[in-house]
């Protein structure tokens, strides 16, 4: 199993950070067929071979993805997409 973790400071309100996380989940859902739902300030997503969550805090957002064996080859592409979505929604990494 392959794991991806991306942590990004957001420098905005919790409400706006949640909106950014929702946007990331929707775009990843369209591109990779993921379903998602909120559990407090954690947005959980999944599909066959992929599970993960986006934890939205007051100052940062952490995205954690677990890829099953068959999707491990897509790991670098998925990580690039997550980084790009974070850049668009929270600004570039410091």
């Amino acid at each position: 199993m392959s794991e991806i973790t991306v942590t990004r400071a957001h420098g905005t309100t919790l409400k706006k950070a949640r909106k950014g996380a929702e946007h990331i989940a929707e775009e990843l859902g369209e591109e990779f067929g993921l379903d998602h739902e909120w559990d407090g300030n954690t947005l959980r997503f999944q599909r066959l071979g992929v599970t993960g969550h986006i934890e939205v805090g007051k100052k940062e957002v952490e995205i954690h993805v677990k890829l099953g064996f068959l999707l491990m080859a897509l790991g670098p592409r998925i990580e690039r997409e997550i980084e790009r979505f974070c850049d668009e929604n929270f600004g570039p990494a410091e």
Side-chain angles (χ1 to χ4, degrees), residues 37-84:
E37 67 182 356
W38 284 100
D39 178 13
N41 285 327
T42 301
L43 191 149
R44 301 191 185 283
F45 54 87
Q46 66 180 9
R47 67 160 264 191
L48 185 62
V50 178
T51 60
H53 61 272
I54 303 173
E55 292 182 34
V56 181
K58 291 182 180 183
K59 296 186 183 209
E60 68 181 19
V61 173
E62 181 176 286
I63 302 168
H64 187 78
V65 181
K66 290 183 183 180
L67 302 174
F69 179 75
L70 296 176
L71 296 175
M72 286 174 56
L74 293 176
R77 176 177 169 222
I78 292 170
E79 187 167 6
R80 280 192 307 273
E81 288 296 308
I82 291 169
E83 292 283 354
R84 183 177 67 81

Side-chain angles (χ1 to χ4, degrees), residues 6-27:
V6 175
T7 302
R8 185 70 58 96
H10 61 70
T12 187
T13 65
L14 187 62
K15 184 177 179 178
K16 287 182 181 178
R18 281 178 54 109
K19 187 175 179 179
E22 180 78 27
H23 185 250
I24 291 170
E26 288 172 358
E27 293 221 4

